[in-house]
Amino acid sequence: MPKRLYARSLIIVIAPMILLQSVVAFVFMERHWQTVTQRLSTAVTRDIAAIIDLIETYPDERGKQNAVRIAQERLSLRVDIMPPDPLPAPGPKPFFSILDQILSAEITSQINRPFWIDTVGNSNVVEIRIQLDEQVLRVFARRSQAYASNTHIFLLWMGGTSLVLIIIAVLFLRNQIRPIQQLAEAAESFGKGRPTPEDFRPRGAEEVRRAGLAFLQMRERIERQIEQRTAMLTGVSHDLRTILTRFRLQLAVSGGKTDVAALDNDIEDMQSMLEGYLSFARGEALEDTGRINLETLFAKLTEEAKLRGRTLTVQLSGDPEVHVRPTAFSRLVTNLVGNSFRYAKSVHITAIHGPGSLIVTVDDDGPGIPAQEREHVFRPFVRLDEARNQDSGGTGLGLSIARDIARSHGGDITLDDSPLGGLRCVVRVPA
Ligand SMILES: Nc1ncnc2c1ncn2[C@@H]1O[C@H](COP(=O)(O)OP(=O)(O)OP(=O)(O)O)[C@@H](O)[C@H]1O
Ligand SMILES: [Mg+2]
């Protein structure tokens, strides 16, 4: 069996056709063709036998002439009466000589005299010579008189229609198989980590289309999952680094007398972060939405500002309880405020919680970000001006994490000039 689907389906279509036609052709040859030829030959032989009877009944010259005329006019046979020379030697038999066989058998059984036939020589005419007692009878019959000669038309029709059928099958199959090949190529390139072909879309028969659609959905799900895991991992690592920085600051500030309560809090934060990540890695759903109290969050940030020697002022209007994904949202705000702590001296947060929406604005008096860079800094690992950065640990992930979180809440972050002279980050999320 061939390996390729195309070849296999062609065989599935063509093999039964050939088989069917062979059977039909065989039955036709065997039954119809042979029977008809048999009947025609019988009739011709019968006519010849009648002529012989006539000649033998009236052996005078007039009788013979009448017999020849009757044969010519009524039976379409050209009859010559020749002197009784011996018959010529039997000619070569044609290879596929059903006529020869049947005619010979008929003459033998109906007339039973020595005879000689030639079915090969002149293609339209059959010559028969029969040895009578006192003469030799030579008969020319039209071939079609003794032989079912329309077979080639039948074979032509059969061959022609099968050719048309095969062409249709080839065209049709090619169209049906192309979508399968495209699906195979797309799956293969995805499996090898290459981009799937641009123009790939589910096509073809319903089952193939379903497989294509399933492939696209699978690819999307896998990509989304990888993306989510990466986002989660970077988020957690970023947070851990922030907390470790805080540890170091606390240790430096306390000068040996460790603030156990603050460290405890940090450790608790780290633990809940890691647990969140582990549950995600185990395949549990992303963090559910829950309630977070903005006052508590801002109090923590104020603590940190104190540690870092920055000033933080907060202005909150509306309900401090907001409905968001708690860990993610506090990560978002912490990243923005953390940036401001790093690049500026004083920071101001304005939070407006209206019906259905929350707008948090973080202003600082740092160097800001030039307008043309404001989209660029959201890219992962992008950091402006390495030299101006005093806190050397930055990786350039903070803003990209923050924007992902805002967008996953259905909101966004924009950057602007701050009235304080530095950068203004505005977070708008539905809450
Ligand atoms: N408040 C700000 N004032 C001035 N420049 C800022 C401010 N916030 C961010 N930037 C600039 O945008 C860049 C990207 O910030 P992002 O938070 O993504 O990275 P990072 O703070 O350098 O590193 P990480 O947050 O990963 O520790 C920073 O390198 C900095 O140059
Ligand atoms: Mg940052």
Side-chain angles (χ1 to χ4, degrees):
M1 272 299 266
K3 289 266 181 295
R4 300 180 63 99
L5 182 58
Y6 187 45
R8 285 185 181 200
S9 4
L10 265 183
I11 288 181
I12 291 173
V13 172
I14 289 171
M17 197 158 72
I18 289 177
L19 199 73
L20 179 76
Q21 294 205 332
S22 315
V23 170
V24 168
F26 180 72
V27 169
F28 177 81
M29 298 292 182
E30 190 67 11
R31 293 284 141 79
H32 176 81
W33 192 35
Q34 195 148 9
T35 314
V36 173
T37 303
Q38 173 87 53
R39 299 229 169 109
L40 290 174
S41 296
T42 309
V44 168
T45 315
R46 208 176 281 153
D47 291 349
I48 296 173
I51 299 292
I52 293 172
D53 283 356
L54 258 181
I55 289 171
E56 287 185 338
T57 314
Y58 305 101
D60 54 3
E61 207 45 44
R62 258 195 75 198
K64 284 181 191 167
Q65 273 170 17
N66 273 337
V68 169
R69 186 179 49 80
I70 289 171
Q72 178 74 45
E73 285 174 5
R74 299 289 172 196
L75 307 172
S76 303
L77 295 173
R78 227 187 78 207
V79 176
D80 297 308
I81 297 169
M82 305 200 305
D85 299 332
L87 292 174
K93 296 272 172 220
F95 175 66
F96 190 60
S97 65
I98 173 172
L99 174 61
D100 219 283
Q101 286 166 18
I102 294 179
L103 207 52
S104 302
E106 279 300 313
I107 293 173
T108 311
S109 78
Q110 285 195 47
I111 302 175
N112 202 13
R113 294 188 199 236
F115 67 93
W116 175 91
I117 60 175
D118 178 10
T119 54
V120 200
N122 194 339
S123 66
N124 271 330
V125 184
V126 181
E127 183 181 347
I128 304 164
R129 295 186 193 191
I130 296 170
Q131 179 100 59
L132 301 183
D133 293 339
E134 281 148 31
Q135 59 250 312
V136 167
L137 196 67
R138 187 177 68 182
V139 183
F140 288 106
R142 271 182 286 113
R143 179 177 273 262
S144 55
Q145 244 173 317
Y147 181 65
S149 56
N150 57 353
T151 22
H152 65 284
I153 297 176
F154 171 78
L155 291 176
L156 215 69
W157 269 100
M158 204 166 73
T161 41
S162 9
L163 206 68
V164 170
L165 282 181
I166 288 176
I167 290 173
I168 291 176
V170 165
L171 293 180
F172 190 74
L173 277 178
R174 178 171 300 177
N175 274 343
Q176 292 307 300
I177 283 172
R178 196 172 305 141
I180 301 180
Q181 282 170 336
Q182 285 172 345
L183 176 60
E185 276 161 25
E188 214 170 51
S189 57
F190 180 63
K192 289 179 183 162
R194 288 199 295 257
T196 39
E198 280 285 305
D199 55 347
F200 177 76
R201 60 193 172 78
R203 264 194 301 203
E206 193 191 314
E207 290 84 351
V208 180
R209 202 175 311 185
R210 234 170 51 206
L213 214 64
F215 165 71
L216 283 184
Q217 281 166 352
M218 183 182 79
R219 190 185 64 179
E220 205 172 286
R221 204 179 54 92
I222 291 176
E223 279 172 354
R224 203 174 46 229
Q225 200 161 13
I226 291 175
E227 220 167 78
Q228 281 174 353
R229 280 190 186 214
T230 317
M232 189 81 181
L233 188 60
T234 44
V236 169
S237 318
H238 196 263
D239 287 359
L240 285 179
R241 228 200 33 213
T242 312
I243 291 178
L244 287 178
T245 314
R246 200 151 68 212
F247 267 8
R248 224 178 35 228
L249 283 172
Q250 271 167 349
L251 285 176
V253 167
S254 63
K257 300 183 264 88
T258 333
D259 184 350
V260 181
L263 285 182
D264 241 18
N265 259 341
D266 284 343
I267 289 169
E268 221 165 81
D269 280 356
M270 282 163 78
Q271 199 153 3
S272 77
M273 249 156 39
L274 288 177
E275 265 155 24
Y277 182 73
L278 287 178
S279 82
F280 173 81
R282 276 197 303 269
E284 287 162 28
L286 277 179
E287 188 186 11
D288 286 331
T289 51
R291 308 213 139 262
I292 183 171
N293 192 318
L294 289 180
E295 276 168 349
T296 327
L297 176 63
F298 293 149
K300 247 188 201 164
L301 291 171
T302 315
E303 280 287 305
E304 188 168 344
K306 228 186 280 164
L307 266 179
R308 293 182 154 219
R310 308 285 193 259
T311 52
L312 174 68
T313 49
V314 178
Q315 190 184 341
L316 173 65
S317 70
D319 186 2
E321 292 267 324
V322 288
H323 204 68
V324 286
R325 290 210 288 273
T327 317
F329 188 77
S330 63
R331 177 179 295 152
L332 187 169
V333 177
T334 311
N335 282 1
L336 295 183
V337 176
N339 276 350
S340 292
F341 286 163
R342 190 184 276 174
Y343 301 111
K345 285 264 173 296
S346 59
V347 185
H348 182 70
I349 302 178
T350 323
I352 303 166
H353 188 193
S357 91
L358 172 66
I359 302 175
V360 180
T361 311
V362 181
D363 285 304
D364 66 40
D365 59 353
I369 296 179
Q372 70 273 13
E373 297 282 2
R374 282 178 195 156
E375 271 309 305
H376 185 57
V377 289
F378 281 111
R379 298 244 189 92
F381 302 110
V382 167
R383 308 183 61 217
L384 297 180
D385 182 0
E386 312 278 323
R388 89 183 187 196
N389 199 334
Q390 54 284 70
D391 190 346
S392 58
T395 51
L397 284 172
L399 282 179
S400 104
I401 293 170
R403 174 166 262 182
D404 282 348
I405 293 172
R407 288 191 170 162
S408 76
H409 277 86
D412 205 355
I413 302 182
T414 50
L415 300 183
D416 211 341
D417 287 323
S418 165
L420 295 186
L423 185 71
R424 161 175 274 188
C425 305
V426 185
V427 181
R428 284 189 184 79
V429 287

